[in-house]
Amino acid sequence: MKRRASLVILLLLASLAGYAQISIRIFARTRPASVFFTADRGHYILHDDAAGELKIMQGDIVAVTLFNNRVVYRTLSGTMGAADSLSFTPGDPNSLFTLRATGGNEPQKTLEGSLRVKPFPGSLQILNITTAENCLPGVVRAEAGKYGPSDYFRAQAVVARTYIYRNINRHELDGYNMCDDIHCQVYPGVVTDTVIVNACRATAGKVITDRDSLLIEAAFHGNCGGMTASSADVWLAGYPYLVSVKDPWCSYSASSTWKKNISRKEWNSFLSSKGITPGTAGNLWPAQQSTISRIASRTINGKTVTAEEIRLRFALRSSWFSMTPAGDSITVSGRGYGHGVGLCQDGAKHMAEKKLTYDRIIAFYYPGTLIMDIKNARRPARP
Ligand SMILES: [Zn+2]
Ligand SMILES: [Zn+2]
């Protein structure tokens, strides 16, 4: 009997863990000290921890500002208040609000769910309390673009959902789950693109796991150039599903090849910074573009240099390239766009155009993985 009760509790916990609300810090990068809240659809209840509740009708605007380490608000009709923390909760199931930062160049965001605001040193800490499924279409559009076939967006939705749940405790010490900036996943707010919203709904709750039901590190990038990179080469962290895969699907894209000139002087100073004496012809990067292979690292004069550090130092489009001397400069010829690990977006899009379904796309770029409901998946102890 006791055993059954604990099983029921465990199942409840598992499903709660899957679909619980998440808190996202809004405007995490610019951290404004004041914002405008507009009730776009439906009404909201403003809870002021000092004075109580206030009804915010559809169309009403509330200015919220940090002042003397308190949150001060003022409505259009002139109602004012100051509190240690404020929250706005939706009064209708379909309520929507817009948040606009003042004085910054952040675009405004339309959001679902509720909002909590409290003072943060020099700014406001603004948290949107919503669900992973509600914020997923916005994340997918920010990461995957607006245009593409349905199965491309389905694959991206499952990838983004996997990322959210794997990293749900990333800001645990800050008191929220995720931020809306590239540090976690860019969240532009609610979007209404039908193909994206439908792709998220059609895959609701689905995530990618390894054979032990652990959520995978769902890395992705723009274009692999014909062969994906292994995470062991790029990040020095190997996963059995982030291995190099030969990709025939992305060569149609303009991103699959590129060229860039860097000056010999910059290259030499990079080598010097690595403790390598520059100047000899053998000091260039020698990958052969005609063969399908990536070179992750190379030893020059006894020092190891990785392609990834060269990519970051010279802002190259990818870490798959070769160099040829061209007078005072060096021509870098490369393939692909991004770090090259995991799902290749151009390739995934093309697979979907050729009527391959999202599960086939995921199986291709993350070999040996499973797709399952978040209720049955587990989060690694230390992502
Ligand atoms: Zn973050
Ligand atoms: Zn590719």
Side-chain angles (χ1 to χ4, degrees):
M1 198 63 200
K2 199 179 169 194
R3 193 186 163 95
R4 175 170 290 182
S6 60
L7 183 69
V8 169
I9 290 168
L10 266 178
L11 286 172
L12 265 174
L13 277 175
S15 61
L16 280 175
Y19 294 101
Q21 293 192 311
I22 60 169
S23 49
I24 305 173
R25 182 164 188 180
I26 302 299
F27 302 141
R29 188 173 47 84
T30 52
R31 300 183 175 187
S34 56
V35 290
F36 287 109
F37 172 99
T38 306
D40 282 331
R41 193 167 71 199
H43 73 277
Y44 283 82
I45 306 295
L46 187 164
H47 303 263
D48 163 348
D49 71 347
E53 294 188 350
L54 184 67
K55 195 168 179 183
I56 308 297
M57 300 308 292
Q58 182 167 320
D60 277 356
I61 301 173
V62 185
V64 181
T65 307
L66 177 77
F67 185 74
N68 279 348
N69 210 33
R70 300 196 85 201
V71 184
V72 174
Y73 62 91
R74 185 190 182 117
T75 65
L76 273 184
S77 57
T79 307
M80 290 180 70
D84 292 327
S85 72
L86 276 191
S87 69
F88 295 84
T89 52
D92 305 289
N94 295 319
S95 293
L96 270 185
F97 65 94
T98 298
L99 211 58
R100 185 159 57 85
T102 57
N105 44 12
E106 281 278 8
Q108 67 176 34
K109 293 188 188 218
T110 300
L111 300 166
E112 285 171 296
S114 58
L115 194 74
R116 273 186 223 148
V117 187
K118 65 176 191 179
F120 188 76
S123 65
L124 295 171
Q125 187 194 66
I126 304 161
L127 303 184
N128 179 207
I129 321 300
T130 182
T131 63
E133 295 301 331
N134 276 349
C135 71
L136 203 61
V139 171
V140 168
R141 197 177 105 172
E143 307 277 10
K146 280 174 78 163
Y147 305 105
S150 171
D151 273 283
Y152 166 64
F153 288 116
R154 289 182 187 205
Q156 288 276 354
V158 177
V159 163
R161 187 181 294 108
T162 304
Y163 184 94
I164 289 174
Y165 283 116
R166 186 178 161 103
N167 292 285
I168 203 129
N169 284 340
R170 196 161 193 192
H171 285 282
E172 195 172 22
L173 296 177
D174 302 317
Y176 50 92
N177 295 121
M178 317 227 331
C179 70
D180 67 349
D181 194 26
I182 46 170
H183 171 262
C184 288
Q185 287 194 112
V186 173
Y187 179 49
V190 173
V191 299
T192 53
D193 308 66
T194 313
V195 63
I196 297 177
V197 171
N198 289 345
C200 293
R201 274 192 200 138
T203 61
K206 287 196 164 65
V207 291
I208 312 169
T209 71
D210 67 11
R211 298 275 166 194
D212 297 321
S213 306
L214 291 169
L215 293 164
I216 70 159
E217 178 69 45
F220 63 92
H221 59 278
N223 185 300
C224 74
M227 177 173 261
T228 68
S230 90
S231 66
D233 286 342
V234 177
W235 297 318
L236 309 176
Y239 298 94
Y241 49 84
L242 293 181
V243 287
S244 191
V245 171
K246 192 176 171 188
D247 183 0
W249 298 100
C250 60
S251 55
Y252 73 94
S253 164
S255 299
S256 68
T257 57
W258 53 266
K259 274 191 197 308
K260 181 175 183 173
N261 280 324
I262 60 175
S263 76
R264 173 73 74 162
K265 203 174 150 202
E266 280 178 291
W267 176 247
N268 286 350
S269 80
F270 168 75
L271 290 177
S272 300
S273 75
K274 306 296 294 179
I276 299 164
T277 311
T280 57
N283 285 353
L284 295 184
W285 198 259
Q288 291 296 312
Q289 290 305 305
S290 54
T291 57
I292 296 289
S293 66
R294 284 174 171 269
I295 293 181
S297 64
R298 194 189 158 213
T299 303
I300 306 174
N301 294 355
K303 311 273 185 196
T304 301
V305 181
T306 69
E308 184 67 4
E309 63 189 338
I310 297 172
R311 170 174 92 92
L312 296 173
R313 168 68 178 76
F314 293 98
L316 304 178
R317 289 173 67 95
S318 75
S319 57
W320 184 359
F321 52 83
S322 65
M323 296 177 169
T324 45
D328 286 343
S329 61
I330 295 164
T331 302
V332 189
S333 310
R335 301 174 70 126
Y337 186 57
H339 53 57
V341 181
L343 180 140
C344 163
Q345 291 181 309
D346 282 344
K349 198 178 276 185
H350 198 46
M351 288 176 86
E353 279 160 2
K354 295 291 178 190
K355 306 293 177 216
L356 286 153
T357 51
Y358 76 94
D359 50 323
R360 301 266 311 268
I361 297 170
I362 286 168
F364 180 74
Y365 288 110
Y366 306 108
T369 57
L370 306 168
I371 297 174
M372 64 170 68
D373 195 281
I374 182 64
K375 289 199 289 279
N376 304 317
R378 296 184 297 135
R379 198 156 26 82
R382 243 173 288 147

